Amino acid sequence: MNDFDIGQAVEKLGSWQEETYKWLHRHPELSMAETETCDFIYQQLQDFGYETQKIGGGVVGVLQNGSGKTTLFRADIDGLPVKEETGLEYASTITRPDKNGNEVPTMHACGHDVHITAGLGAAWVLSENRQSWSGTHVALFQPGEETAEGAKSMVADGLVEKIPRPDVAFGQHVLTGPMPTGSVGTHSGAILSTGASLKITVHGKGSHGSMPHMGVDPVVLASAIVLRLQTIVSREIDPFKMAVVTVGSLQAGSKSNIIPERATLLVNIRAYDMQVRKHLLAAIKRMVNAECDAAGSPEPAEFELYDSYPLTNNDAETTKTVTDAFIAHFGSERVGDCGEVPASEDFSTIPDAFGIPYCYWGLGGFREEDPKYPNHNPKFAPIMQPTLATGTEAALAATLAWLGK
């Protein structure tokens, strides 16, 4: 690689990057409905000289610049149905229709606006400095990460056939901790958990509250299930392996003296091991079915799996190359090991579709002395700088480790 100065190149983005970030933050869109966002990204990439197309609800730009490797940098683009409470002068105040047609407050409460801005910034720098690298860069902007739909949608719409096959893929996520803004963190192996949600419906037999003997109470049944599920992690999973089973919702009935016909539970699981994930799902079904039998439920339980996320498992060799590139650019004091993060992502669906290695890393977004609000919180607000510059420089450092002359 030559002596191309990534930092100086990113400085030339000037006010464009911050104004772009503010516009994106003010105009969030919900998963799989990112029309304005895609139009904006599409136009930017075309202005940068990329061959641009919309695929599966997202946008892909391809910049070919001679012979060499092909890299893919992915950024997710959707917002969340959260009412913003940051107090920022560029805060989102808009609402968007959800999938049921209800107008809901919408916010970039997970930093995807940071990811877009960094991805676009890196795309511009590569376009403006073609003499410093050789190969092909793919700038991919993916919809629907928050619902685990977007990566699948792009693959289903022919992503693998429509763009050059990358040799490697990259992604990043701005995080509340443990890294301060201005720093990055890599991790070899499993970095983000596999995750999934289950909607479980159990059936009872309705009756008057004064005549419980004539019914089958699904509230009692569901309560027993909640308690029983707590034993999966504590009694069935190896203590040295991570697993989470959370019952986030239990809904049943509408009146104190009516035994309802059914109860619905929403359950979420997390794991860093696909065999552990398989065990969790099997154990949940086993316990639910057993409790239904014990209660004399008149109908079998119903299970609906949704928001299913793959494991994000960084390739060791690729991660070492990226980490070395980060240390060379940022210095060792700004690069660390972010460890395993219990959140989940659908990023790996894209490199897995191509059968290529990948590296996904964490990006610090907050000063150590500032109050910390987690992703998805109404007050989640990464510090604009140096977060944007660091995210852009990280994308470029990783990319140029493959494309640099």
Side-chain angles (χ1 to χ4, degrees), residues 17-19 21-22 89-90 365 381-389:
Q17 191 162 48
E18 293 187 9
E19 291 305 313
Y21 173 71
K22 290 179 181 179
E89 56 90 10
Y90 51 88
I383 303 300
M384 191 184 304
Q385 293 294 8
T387 306
L388 292 178

Side-chain angles (χ1 to χ4, degrees), residues 10 13-21 117-118 121 385 388-389 392:
V10 171
L13 287 165
S15 62
W16 171 88
Q17 191 162 48
E18 293 187 9
E19 291 305 313
T20 295
Y21 173 71
T117 307
Q385 293 294 8
L388 292 178
T392 307

Side-chain angles (χ1 to χ4, degrees), residues 122-149:
W124 179 87
V125 169
L126 291 171
S127 177
E128 291 294 306
N129 295 275
R130 301 185 200 198
Q131 74 284 354
S132 298
W133 62 278
S134 182
T136 299
H137 178 62
V138 178
L140 186 148
F141 297 84
Q142 181 212 300
E145 183 277 328
E146 297 292 354
T147 56
E149 297 174 276

